[in-house]
CSV table of all heavy atoms in Angstrom, one decimal:
chain,number,residue,atom,x,y,z
A,14,ARG,N,198.9,242.4,110.5
A,14,ARG,CA,199.0,241.4,109.4
A,14,ARG,C,197.7,241.5,108.5
A,14,ARG,O,196.7,241.1,109.0
A,14,ARG,CB,199.2,240.0,110.0
A,14,ARG,CG,199.4,239.0,108.9
A,14,ARG,CD,199.8,237.7,109.4
A,14,ARG,NE,200.0,236.7,108.4
A,14,ARG,CZ,200.4,235.4,108.6
A,14,ARG,NH1,200.7,235.0,109.8
A,14,ARG,NH2,200.5,234.6,107.6
A,15,ALA,N,197.9,241.8,107.3
A,15,ALA,CA,196.7,241.9,106.4
A,15,ALA,C,196.2,240.5,106.1
A,15,ALA,O,196.9,239.5,106.2
A,15,ALA,CB,197.2,242.5,105.1
A,16,ALA,N,194.8,240.5,106.0
A,16,ALA,CA,194.2,239.2,105.7
A,16,ALA,C,194.7,238.5,104.4
A,16,ALA,O,194.8,239.2,103.4
A,16,ALA,CB,192.7,239.4,105.6
A,17,THR,N,195.0,237.3,104.5
A,17,THR,CA,195.6,236.5,103.4
A,17,THR,C,194.8,235.2,103.2
A,17,THR,O,194.5,234.5,104.1
A,17,THR,CB,197.0,236.2,103.7
A,17,THR,OG1,197.8,237.4,103.9
A,17,THR,CG2,197.7,235.5,102.5
A,18,MET,N,194.4,235.0,102.0
A,18,MET,CA,193.7,233.8,101.6
A,18,MET,C,194.6,232.7,101.1
A,18,MET,O,195.4,233.1,100.2
A,18,MET,CB,192.5,234.1,100.6
A,18,MET,CG,191.7,232.8,100.3
A,18,MET,SD,190.2,233.2,99.4
A,18,MET,CE,190.8,233.9,97.9
A,19,MET,N,194.5,231.5,101.6
A,19,MET,CA,195.4,230.4,101.2
A,19,MET,C,194.6,229.2,100.8
A,19,MET,O,193.6,229.0,101.3
A,19,MET,CB,196.4,230.1,102.4
A,19,MET,CG,197.1,231.3,102.9
A,19,MET,SD,198.1,230.9,104.4
A,19,MET,CE,199.3,229.7,103.7
A,20,ASP,N,195.2,228.5,99.8
A,20,ASP,CA,194.6,227.2,99.3
A,20,ASP,C,195.1,226.1,100.3
A,20,ASP,O,196.3,225.9,100.5
A,20,ASP,CB,195.1,226.9,97.9
A,20,ASP,CG,194.3,225.8,97.3
A,20,ASP,OD1,194.4,224.7,97.8
A,20,ASP,OD2,193.6,226.0,96.3
A,21,ILE,N,194.1,225.4,100.8
A,21,ILE,CA,194.4,224.3,101.8
A,21,ILE,C,195.3,223.2,101.2
A,21,ILE,O,196.2,222.7,101.8
A,21,ILE,CB,193.2,223.8,102.4
A,21,ILE,CG1,192.4,224.9,103.2
A,21,ILE,CG2,193.5,222.6,103.4
A,21,ILE,CD1,191.1,224.4,103.8
A,22,GLU,N,195.0,222.8,100.0
A,22,GLU,CA,195.7,221.7,99.4
A,22,GLU,C,197.1,222.0,99.0
A,22,GLU,O,198.0,221.3,99.2
A,22,GLU,CB,194.9,221.2,98.1
A,22,GLU,CG,193.5,220.7,98.5
A,22,GLU,CD,192.8,220.3,97.2
A,22,GLU,OE1,193.3,220.5,96.1
A,22,GLU,OE2,191.6,219.7,97.4
A,23,THR,N,197.3,223.2,98.4
A,23,THR,CA,198.6,223.6,97.9
A,23,THR,C,199.4,224.5,98.9
A,23,THR,O,200.7,224.5,98.8
A,23,THR,CB,198.5,224.3,96.6
A,23,THR,OG1,197.8,225.5,96.8
A,23,THR,CG2,197.8,223.4,95.6
A,24,GLY,N,198.7,225.1,99.8
A,24,GLY,CA,199.4,226.0,100.7
A,24,GLY,C,199.8,227.3,100.1
A,24,GLY,O,200.5,228.1,100.8
A,25,GLU,N,199.4,227.6,98.9
A,25,GLU,CA,199.8,228.9,98.2
A,25,GLU,C,198.8,230.0,98.6
A,25,GLU,O,197.6,229.8,98.8
A,25,GLU,CB,199.8,228.6,96.7
A,25,GLU,CG,200.8,227.6,96.3
A,25,GLU,CD,200.8,227.4,94.8
A,25,GLU,OE1,199.9,228.0,94.1
A,25,GLU,OE2,201.7,226.7,94.2
A,26,THR,N,199.4,231.2,98.5
A,26,THR,CA,198.6,232.4,98.8
A,26,THR,C,197.8,232.8,97.5
A,26,THR,O,198.5,233.0,96.4
A,26,THR,CB,199.4,233.6,99.2
A,26,THR,OG1,200.1,233.2,100.4
A,26,THR,CG2,198.6,234.8,99.4
A,27,THR,N,196.5,232.8,97.5
A,27,THR,CA,195.7,233.1,96.3
A,27,THR,C,195.2,234.5,96.3
A,27,THR,O,194.8,235.0,95.3
A,27,THR,CB,194.5,232.1,96.2
A,27,THR,OG1,193.7,232.2,97.4
A,27,THR,CG2,195.1,230.7,96.1
A,28,TRP,N,195.2,235.2,97.5
A,28,TRP,CA,194.7,236.6,97.6
A,28,TRP,C,195.2,237.2,98.8
A,28,TRP,O,195.3,236.5,99.9
A,28,TRP,CB,193.1,236.6,97.5
A,28,TRP,CG,192.5,237.9,97.7
A,28,TRP,CD1,192.3,238.8,96.7
A,28,TRP,CD2,192.1,238.5,98.9
A,28,TRP,NE1,191.7,240.0,97.3
A,28,TRP,CE2,191.6,239.8,98.6
A,28,TRP,CE3,192.1,238.1,100.2
A,28,TRP,CZ2,191.1,240.6,99.6
A,28,TRP,CZ3,191.6,238.9,101.2
A,28,TRP,CH2,191.1,240.2,100.9
A,29,LYS,N,195.5,238.5,98.8
A,29,LYS,CA,195.9,239.2,100.0
A,29,LYS,C,195.3,240.6,100.0
A,29,LYS,O,195.3,241.3,99.0
A,29,LYS,CB,197.4,239.3,100.0
A,29,LYS,CG,198.0,240.0,101.3
A,29,LYS,CD,199.5,240.0,101.3
A,29,LYS,CE,200.0,240.5,102.6
A,29,LYS,NZ,201.5,240.5,102.7
A,30,ALA,N,194.7,241.0,101.2
A,30,ALA,CA,194.0,242.2,101.3
A,30,ALA,C,195.0,243.4,101.3
A,30,ALA,O,196.2,243.2,101.6
A,30,ALA,CB,193.2,242.3,102.6
A,31,LYS,N,194.6,244.5,100.8
A,31,LYS,CA,195.4,245.7,100.8
A,31,LYS,C,194.7,246.7,101.8
A,31,LYS,O,193.5,246.9,101.9
A,31,LYS,CB,195.4,246.3,99.4
A,31,LYS,CG,196.4,247.4,99.2
A,31,LYS,CD,196.5,247.9,97.8
A,31,LYS,CE,197.6,248.9,97.6
A,31,LYS,NZ,197.7,249.4,96.2
A,32,ASN,N,195.6,247.4,102.5
A,32,ASN,CA,195.1,248.3,103.5
A,32,ASN,C,194.4,249.5,102.9
A,32,ASN,O,194.6,249.9,101.8
A,32,ASN,CB,196.3,248.8,104.4
A,32,ASN,CG,195.9,249.5,105.7
A,32,ASN,OD1,194.7,249.4,106.1
A,32,ASN,ND2,196.8,250.1,106.4
A,33,LEU,N,193.6,250.2,103.8
A,33,LEU,CA,192.9,251.4,103.4
A,33,LEU,C,194.0,252.5,103.1
A,33,LEU,O,195.1,252.5,103.6
A,33,LEU,CB,192.0,251.9,104.5
A,33,LEU,CG,190.8,251.0,104.7
A,33,LEU,CD1,190.1,251.5,106.0
A,33,LEU,CD2,189.8,251.2,103.6
A,34,PRO,N,193.6,253.5,102.3
A,34,PRO,CA,194.5,254.6,102.1
A,34,PRO,C,195.0,255.3,103.4
A,34,PRO,O,194.2,255.3,104.4
A,34,PRO,CB,193.7,255.6,101.2
A,34,PRO,CG,192.6,254.7,100.6
A,34,PRO,CD,192.3,253.7,101.6
A,35,PRO,N,196.1,256.0,103.4
A,35,PRO,CA,196.6,256.7,104.6
A,35,PRO,C,195.6,257.8,105.0
A,35,PRO,O,194.8,258.3,104.1
A,35,PRO,CB,197.9,257.3,104.1
A,35,PRO,CG,198.4,256.5,103.0
A,35,PRO,CD,197.1,256.0,102.3
A,36,ASN,N,195.6,258.2,106.2
A,36,ASN,CA,194.8,259.2,106.7
A,36,ASN,C,195.1,260.5,106.0
A,36,ASN,O,196.3,260.9,105.9
A,36,ASN,CB,195.0,259.5,108.2
A,36,ASN,CG,194.1,260.4,108.8
A,36,ASN,OD1,194.1,261.6,108.5
A,36,ASN,ND2,193.2,259.9,109.7
A,37,PRO,N,194.1,261.2,105.4
A,37,PRO,CA,194.4,262.4,104.6
A,37,PRO,C,195.0,263.5,105.3
A,37,PRO,O,195.7,264.4,104.7
A,37,PRO,CB,193.1,262.7,104.0
A,37,PRO,CG,192.1,262.1,104.9
A,37,PRO,CD,192.7,260.9,105.4
A,38,GLN,N,194.8,263.6,106.6
A,38,GLN,CA,195.3,264.7,107.4
A,38,GLN,C,196.7,264.4,108.0
A,38,GLN,O,197.6,265.3,107.9
A,38,GLN,CB,194.4,265.0,108.6
A,38,GLN,CG,193.0,265.6,108.1
A,38,GLN,CD,192.1,265.9,109.3
A,38,GLN,OE1,192.4,265.5,110.4
A,38,GLN,NE2,191.0,266.6,109.0
A,39,THR,N,196.9,263.2,108.5
A,39,THR,CA,198.2,262.9,109.1
A,39,THR,C,199.1,262.2,108.2
A,39,THR,O,200.3,262.0,108.5
A,39,THR,CB,198.0,262.1,110.4
A,39,THR,OG1,197.4,260.8,110.0
A,39,THR,CG2,197.1,262.8,111.4
A,40,LEU,N,198.6,261.6,107.1
A,40,LEU,CA,199.3,260.8,106.1
A,40,LEU,C,199.9,259.5,106.8
A,40,LEU,O,200.8,258.9,106.2
A,40,LEU,CB,200.4,261.6,105.5
A,40,LEU,CG,200.0,262.8,104.7
A,40,LEU,CD1,201.2,263.5,104.1
A,40,LEU,CD2,199.0,262.5,103.6
A,41,LEU,N,199.3,259.1,107.9
A,41,LEU,CA,199.8,257.9,108.6
A,41,LEU,C,198.9,256.7,108.1
A,41,LEU,O,197.8,256.8,107.7
A,41,LEU,CB,199.6,258.0,110.1
A,41,LEU,CG,200.4,259.1,110.8
A,41,LEU,CD1,200.1,259.1,112.3
A,41,LEU,CD2,201.9,258.8,110.6
A,42,GLN,N,199.6,255.5,108.0
A,42,GLN,CA,198.9,254.3,107.6
A,42,GLN,C,197.8,253.9,108.6
A,42,GLN,O,198.0,254.1,109.8
A,42,GLN,CB,199.9,253.2,107.4
A,42,GLN,CG,200.9,253.4,106.2
A,42,GLN,CD,200.1,253.3,104.9
A,42,GLN,OE1,199.1,252.6,104.8
A,42,GLN,NE2,200.7,253.9,103.9
A,43,GLN,N,196.7,253.4,108.0
A,43,GLN,CA,195.7,252.9,108.9
A,43,GLN,C,196.1,251.7,109.6
A,43,GLN,O,196.7,250.8,109.0
A,43,GLN,CB,194.4,252.6,108.1
A,43,GLN,CG,193.8,253.7,107.3
A,43,GLN,CD,193.0,254.7,108.2
A,43,GLN,OE1,192.8,254.4,109.3
A,43,GLN,NE2,192.6,255.8,107.7
A,44,PRO,N,195.9,251.6,110.9
A,44,PRO,CA,196.3,250.4,111.7
A,44,PRO,C,195.5,249.1,111.2
A,44,PRO,O,194.3,249.2,110.9
A,44,PRO,CB,196.0,250.7,113.1
A,44,PRO,CG,194.9,251.8,113.1
A,44,PRO,CD,195.2,252.5,111.8
A,45,ILE,N,196.2,248.0,111.3
A,45,ILE,CA,195.5,246.7,110.8
A,45,ILE,C,195.5,245.8,112.0
A,45,ILE,O,196.4,245.6,112.8
A,45,ILE,CB,196.4,246.0,109.7
A,45,ILE,CG1,196.5,246.9,108.5
A,45,ILE,CG2,195.8,244.7,109.3
A,45,ILE,CD1,197.4,246.4,107.4
A,46,TRP,N,194.3,245.3,112.3
A,46,TRP,CA,194.1,244.3,113.3
A,46,TRP,C,192.8,243.5,113.1
A,46,TRP,O,191.7,243.9,113.5
A,46,TRP,CB,194.1,244.9,114.7
A,46,TRP,CG,194.2,243.9,115.8
A,46,TRP,CD1,194.0,242.6,115.8
A,46,TRP,CD2,194.6,244.2,117.2
A,46,TRP,NE1,194.2,242.0,117.0
A,46,TRP,CE2,194.6,242.9,117.9
A,46,TRP,CE3,194.9,245.4,117.9
A,46,TRP,CZ2,194.9,242.9,119.2
A,46,TRP,CZ3,195.2,245.2,119.2
A,46,TRP,CH2,195.2,244.0,119.9
A,47,SER,N,192.8,242.4,112.3
A,47,SER,CA,191.6,241.7,112.0
A,47,SER,C,191.3,240.8,113.2
A,47,SER,O,192.1,239.9,113.6
A,47,SER,CB,191.9,240.8,110.8
A,47,SER,OG,192.2,241.6,109.7
A,48,SER,N,190.1,241.0,113.8
A,48,SER,CA,189.7,240.3,115.0
A,48,SER,C,188.5,239.3,114.7
A,48,SER,O,188.2,238.5,115.6
A,48,SER,CB,189.3,241.2,116.1
A,48,SER,OG,188.4,242.2,115.7
A,49,ALA,N,187.9,239.4,113.6
A,49,ALA,CA,186.8,238.5,113.2
A,49,ALA,C,186.7,238.4,111.7
A,49,ALA,O,186.8,239.4,111.0
A,49,ALA,CB,185.5,239.0,113.8
A,50,ILE,N,186.5,237.2,111.2
A,50,ILE,CA,186.5,237.0,109.7
A,50,ILE,C,185.4,236.1,109.4
A,50,ILE,O,185.1,235.1,110.1
A,50,ILE,CB,187.8,236.3,109.3
A,50,ILE,CG1,189.0,237.3,109.5
A,50,ILE,CG2,187.8,236.0,107.8
A,50,ILE,CD1,190.4,236.7,109.2
A,51,GLU,N,184.7,236.4,108.3
A,51,GLU,CA,183.5,235.6,107.9
A,51,GLU,C,183.4,235.6,106.4
A,51,GLU,O,183.3,236.7,105.7
A,51,GLU,CB,182.2,236.1,108.5
A,51,GLU,CG,180.9,235.5,108.0
A,51,GLU,CD,180.7,234.2,108.8
A,51,GLU,OE1,181.4,233.9,109.7
A,51,GLU,OE2,179.7,233.5,108.4
A,52,PHE,N,183.4,234.4,105.7
A,52,PHE,CA,183.1,234.3,104.3
A,52,PHE,C,181.6,234.6,104.1
A,52,PHE,O,180.7,234.0,104.8
A,52,PHE,CB,183.4,232.9,103.7
A,52,PHE,CG,184.9,232.7,103.5
A,52,PHE,CD1,185.6,232.0,104.4
A,52,PHE,CD2,185.5,233.2,102.4
A,52,PHE,CE1,187.0,231.8,104.2
A,52,PHE,CE2,186.8,233.0,102.2
A,52,PHE,CZ,187.6,232.3,103.1
A,53,LEU,N,181.2,235.4,103.2
A,53,LEU,CA,179.8,235.6,102.8
A,53,LEU,C,179.4,234.6,101.7
A,53,LEU,O,180.2,234.3,100.8
A,53,LEU,CB,179.6,237.1,102.4
A,53,LEU,CG,179.9,238.2,103.4
A,53,LEU,CD1,179.5,239.5,102.8
A,53,LEU,CD2,179.3,237.9,104.7
A,54,SER,N,178.2,234.1,101.8
A,54,SER,CA,177.7,233.1,100.9
A,54,SER,C,177.6,233.7,99.5
A,54,SER,O,177.1,234.8,99.3
A,54,SER,CB,176.3,232.7,101.4
A,54,SER,OG,175.7,231.8,100.4
A,55,LYS,N,178.1,232.9,98.5
A,55,LYS,CA,178.1,233.4,97.1
A,55,LYS,C,176.7,233.4,96.6
A,55,LYS,O,176.3,234.2,95.7
A,55,LYS,CB,179.0,232.4,96.3
A,55,LYS,CG,180.4,232.5,96.6
A,55,LYS,CD,181.2,231.6,95.7
A,55,LYS,CE,182.7,231.7,96.0
A,55,LYS,NZ,183.5,230.8,95.1
A,56,THR,N,175.8,232.5,97.1
A,56,THR,CA,174.5,232.3,96.5
A,56,THR,C,173.4,233.2,97.2
A,56,THR,O,172.4,233.6,96.6
A,56,THR,CB,174.0,230.9,96.6
A,56,THR,OG1,174.1,230.4,98.0
A,56,THR,CG2,174.9,230.0,95.8
A,57,ASP,N,173.7,233.6,98.5
A,57,ASP,CA,172.7,234.3,99.3
A,57,ASP,C,173.1,235.8,99.5
A,57,ASP,O,172.6,236.4,100.4
A,57,ASP,CB,172.5,233.6,100.6
A,57,ASP,CG,171.9,232.2,100.5
A,57,ASP,OD1,171.2,232.0,99.4
A,57,ASP,OD2,172.1,231.4,101.4
Side-chain angles (χ1 to χ4, degrees):
R14 179 171 181 178
T17 303
M18 184 167 64
M19 305 174 64
D20 190 297
I21 296 177
E22 296 180 355
T23 63
E25 297 179 353
T26 299
T27 59
W28 176 86
K29 186 175 182 179
K31 192 174 181 179
N32 194 12
L33 291 168
N36 188 293
Q38 294 182 347
T39 63
L40 300 181
L41 296 175
Q42 290 291 332
Q43 299 283 352
I45 300 175
W46 193 343
S47 302
S48 54
I50 298 174
E51 176 82 5
F52 283 101
L53 301 186
S54 174
K55 294 181 180 180
T56 57
D57 297 334

